Amino acid sequence: MRTGIVAFLLGILALVQCPSLPSAGLADLLPVCLLLALAQPRPRITLLFACGFLYALAHAHAVLDEHLPPELEGQSLTVSGRVISLPDVESHRVRFEFAVDTWPAAVNAQRLPRYIRLSWYTRDPAVSAGERWRLRIRLKQPHGFINPGGFDYEGWLFSHGIRATGYVRRSDLNQRLAPAVAGLLHWREQLRESIDARLGDGRGTALVTALALGDRSGLTQGDWDVLRRTGTSHLLAISGLHIGLVAALAFFAGRWLWSLLPAGMHRLPAQQAAILLSLPAALGYAALAGFALPTQRALIMLLVTALAVLGRQRLRPGDVLLLALLAVLLVDPLAVLAAGLWLSFLAVAVILWGMGWRLPQAGLWWRYGRIQCLIAIGMLPVLLFWFQQFPLFSAVANLVAVPWVSVGVVPLILLGLVLLVAVPAAGGQLLVLAKWLLMGLWPWLEWLGGVDVGLLERPQPAPGLLFAGLAGAALLLLPRAVPSRWIGLLWLLPLIWPQTPRPAPGEYRFAVLDVGQGLAAVVETARHVLVYDTGARFSDSFNAGAAVVVPYLRSRSHDRLDMLIVSHGDNDHIGGTAALDGAFPIDRVLSSVPSELPETAEHCRQGQAWQWDGVHFRILHPPAVTGVNDNNQSCVLRIAGPGGTVLVPGDIEASAERLLIERAARALAADVLVAPHHGSRSSSTPRFIRTVQPDYTVFSTGYRNRYQFPDSDIIQRYEARDVTLFNTAADGAVLFDVGRDGIRISKARLFQRRFWHHGR
């Protein structure tokens, strides 16, 4: 059974690694493979592997068959449907998921998306969960940034069945058609409003709401940083830990109450009755979280365990875990794309592995402390794989935080929610007490999270290194009596001290990152790294520096910057700077607007030059210091090595191009050119292109950006000179490895491609 379930899982994993999706006709072979597997006393591993592959294939086609045709992108459409998520409200917009049931009659396409994600840049009228609306919207196909080390937003949308994103337009057609129907979603939003009304705003309220309803939208980026650095983020997800706690409380309470009923004891043993009572309790708590994926996994695991006990089946804990995994995969094979699946099941597996040996008996706190250490060691490889970081003090933080939250806070919140309906005043007081307890824990977490060496950040390990690390952790978790278990540490070392390839002296890597409508580029030499611009700041909680630039640098094993150049002060070039400055020490900062940057920033100006590892850097523009934020004051950077030259001109326009040609025409010649001002009509004059004579030009633009960059006439100008063009909106990050023997080019949307990515 065990090998069969593992083979089924591996088949699903094989499918999600495919760059393109095999034909849907292959899925018709699933019944045949399944019958062949069931017809044998011991099914062959290959058949079960094929079943997993084909089952995931059928599921993937069912999701991808719903799509938005390209001709409908950007069109104004009037649709009706229902709000199916708790709205995520910020100061300038509200975001929610919407189930469309009526499309315009003129739209003839088949299998249009049922589920879409919308942003409405208004707070009036308010949108509530469960309401039915008619909305005037504009949509686009799922599209996200594609960069080495970055988050796969398109994969997240795919795994959640969301097949289009967009925004609500201002229109008189926007109308609430029906109030929220009485149901789970509406009930959860009413509870959220009740919590807000009694607790007010602030971190404590956001923490209580997260634990009560699984709604973590109120947490700030700073809050998440503390949780991330202490390894306590899992405490704010209604997942296996809390579902198991509620089920355990209900079990012991049910067993005690049932034992008081002699008549019931004759019909059903107290233990079995208690199990039957614990399931509805766990189900109710999962309902509070809206049956989020972590709660679904926990419920399935609990149900499998309960059925085994009720059926008097003697299953080993490992078998129960694998059966629960199989049930999860049958419900949703795409759950393998979620980090939560691996973290939740691996955490249980680590505990079973580390505590399953015949250890000397010891006190409760010794065993509890051992569990925290086991989890810390066992989870290291998978945390580095999914998040490229590992909180070194997670065991210490969780030693206090887990009982504090699970034993102290969660019961208060649950009882408070129940009493909010019957005795609102008493329920409110319990929630206030829960908030007070959480705020009492927070300074401890902030202190631990503030320790400089508290977070180990490393590049994502390759699958082979991941499996080696998991095997090494398993060896380390064996009992002390096992000889040579220390060898497991050697298997972990490549994850902790990875060897990232660097350019040789005289060579360099130039990466134009995919940051949407904006610019961010990274130059790496043998021992130095430079960042040119940091992309845009899109909201208080999202910017390209934190979402793209920092993860890319981490993926390349950088822990400091030798230089940051911010070409000028427009948001799409400077917006991510604060995040970069907070993540890395930066030795030197150059900019045309140093007053908008840290105090140590200097003016960039013509003539500045330096050499790193045989690669020459030179600032060609501006000629004088003005401090004015203007496109034509952009810092223009030239990078030259034996194998080729790169020119990065920022947002200069035609007048600055003319000035550059007059002053430094010979220095402008380059093999690679980042198109000035994202390919706008005001730049890339014919004379400038003739002077630079690039072989390759990169447009750094956003998908379907409102400026319609790059301009079609500008594209024709480059094509007329036989220049190879790249666009980050279509290619993702574009990497140029400039070696002594020439330039090698790679595109992230090609080498990171999966079948759910846009443009398949």
Side-chain angles (χ1 to χ4, degrees), residues 493-538:
L493 286 180
L495 277 68
I496 301 173
W497 283 285
Q499 297 297 315
T500 303
R502 290 278 185 266
E507 301 180 349
Y508 62 97
R509 165 174 281 196
F510 177 70
V512 183
L513 302 180
D514 179 10
V515 293
Q517 186 57 40
L519 177 63
V522 178
V523 187
E524 299 172 82
T525 67
R527 294 175 298 172
H528 297 82
V529 60
L530 177 151
V531 172
Y532 182 101
D533 285 346
T534 59
R537 178 175 178 267
F538 298 96

Side-chain angles (χ1 to χ4, degrees), residues 8 13 115 204 268 330 366 369 463 579 612 661 702 726:
F8 187 81
L13 290 175
Y115 304 119
L268 189 66
L330 290 175
W366 181 90
W612 288 341
I661 293 171
F726 303 95

Side-chain angles (χ1 to χ4, degrees), residues 339-395:
L341 173 82
W342 303 101
L343 296 179
S344 57
F345 277 95
L346 183 62
V348 177
V350 166
I351 295 172
L352 294 177
W353 175 260
M355 302 298 290
W357 309 98
R358 293 184 177 180
L359 301 171
Q361 294 299 314
L364 174 63
W365 282 103
W366 181 90
R367 297 178 67 83
Y368 171 65
R370 178 179 172 83
I371 286 175
Q372 297 304 323
C373 293
L374 291 174
I375 291 176
I377 297 172
M379 300 297 282
L380 187 150
V382 74
L383 286 173
L384 288 179
F385 181 81
W386 281 104
F387 305 113
Q388 293 81 61
Q389 54 190 220
F390 176 74
L392 296 174
F393 298 141
S394 61

Side-chain angles (χ1 to χ4, degrees), residues 435-562:
K435 175 182 177 180
W436 181 81
L437 285 175
L438 285 169
M439 294 310 296
L441 174 68
W442 197 257
W444 158 252
L445 297 180
E446 281 188 315
W447 180 78
L448 273 182
V451 179
D452 290 338
V453 296
L455 195 66
L456 178 70
E457 296 181 290
R458 294 293 184 266
Q460 184 183 55
L465 289 179
L466 170 65
F467 291 126
L470 289 171
L475 285 173
L476 285 177
L477 297 182
L478 288 170
R480 284 179 295 178
V482 177
S484 303
R485 65 186 184 118
W486 59 269
I487 293 176
L489 181 61
L490 299 179
W491 290 32
L492 283 172
L493 286 180
L495 277 68
I496 301 173
W497 283 285
Q499 297 297 315
T500 303
R502 290 278 185 266
E507 301 180 349
Y508 62 97
R509 165 174 281 196
F510 177 70
V512 183
L513 302 180
D514 179 10
V515 293
Q517 186 57 40
L519 177 63
V522 178
V523 187
E524 299 172 82
T525 67
R527 294 175 298 172
H528 297 82
V529 60
L530 177 151
V531 172
Y532 182 101
D533 285 346
T534 59
R537 178 175 178 267
F538 298 96
S539 70
D540 293 341
S541 58
F542 185 74
N543 66 81
V548 175
V549 185
V550 170
Y552 175 79
L553 292 170
R554 296 291 188 206
S555 75
R556 299 287 298 165
S557 297
H558 294 295
D559 55 11
R560 67 181 303 110
L561 296 182
D562 295 282

Side-chain angles (χ1 to χ4, degrees), residues 216-252:
R216 299 180 285 180
S217 59
L219 296 172
T220 66
Q221 188 59 50
D223 297 335
W224 281 117
D225 287 341
V226 171
L227 295 168
R228 174 175 56 85
R229 294 181 68 88
T230 55
T232 52
S233 301
H234 66 98
L235 290 177
L236 295 186
I238 301 178
S239 57
L241 176 63
H242 299 134
I243 295 292
L245 173 67
V246 170
L249 291 174
F251 174 83
F252 290 116

